[in-house]
Amino acid sequence: MDVVAQWVTTEWTRRSRGGPGAALRSAVPQGFRLPGRRRGVVHEVMITESNDFRPIESFGAEPPEREPGLARSGLRLVRADKGVRVELLLARLGDPSRARRPPGVWLAPGEWLRWQVNYRMSGSRIDGGRGEYRQDTLNIAVGPADPELFFGEPTRHIDERGFLR
């Protein structure tokens, strides 16, 4: 069963927690257009404060069955006759602490999931150790995907975003 995944990662520092930087960051979409009808692809979109929140896109192939990956560690796909089970494993990126993750989600052909999580990290590389923030959005669909699929409402949505100090 083909899987189309899109990772949208936004990174910023305290400079973009308010004012014009926050407005740019808040305007970042949760999903982006896929090029053509896609099957078995990983679409990564990186948006950073240092790049004025302009998206940089890249594409890769879907990983083999039952392999963690999809261009990110911590993601596991398990294929079965009824669909694909999507699991985000425990992440230790920063705060808020997540002792456990929500359970995996089964997606049938034609369904898609948006899973969002955010972090605050201290001593980061991009701002001289003062603090960095990150939000990851995984949009993942089973079967061929219309280029504008991830603009709509997902079949399932898991929101792990927490308050970032």
Side-chain angles (χ1 to χ4, degrees), residues 31-49:
F32 286 80
R33 179 177 175 71
L34 294 167
R37 292 188 68 79
R38 292 292 204 158
R39 299 174 72 136
V41 70
V42 178
H43 178 209
E44 291 192 85
V45 183
M46 180 62 104
I47 301 127
T48 63
E49 177 184 272

Side-chain angles (χ1 to χ4, degrees), residues 143-158:
D146 181 88
E148 297 185 1
L149 174 66
F150 297 139
F151 291 152
E153 289 298 315
T155 310
R156 305 283 299 274
H157 185 214
I158 297 175

Side-chain angles (χ1 to χ4, degrees), residues 1-8 32-45 58-63 70-71 75 77 79 84 86 107-115 137-151:
M1 226 171 289
D2 288 324
V3 173
V4 175
Q6 181 180 80
W7 280 104
V8 179
F32 286 80
R33 179 177 175 71
L34 294 167
R37 292 188 68 79
R38 292 292 204 158
R39 299 174 72 136
V41 70
V42 178
H43 178 209
E44 291 192 85
V45 183
S58 62
F59 298 90
E62 177 187 356
L70 258 155
L75 177 63
L77 298 181
R79 290 169 171 80
V84 175
V86 179
L107 295 176
E111 294 182 331
W112 72 282
L113 165 70
R114 174 170 287 146
W115 197 320
T137 299
L138 170 65
N139 296 310
I140 189 163
V142 176
D146 181 88
E148 297 185 1
L149 174 66
F150 297 139
F151 291 152

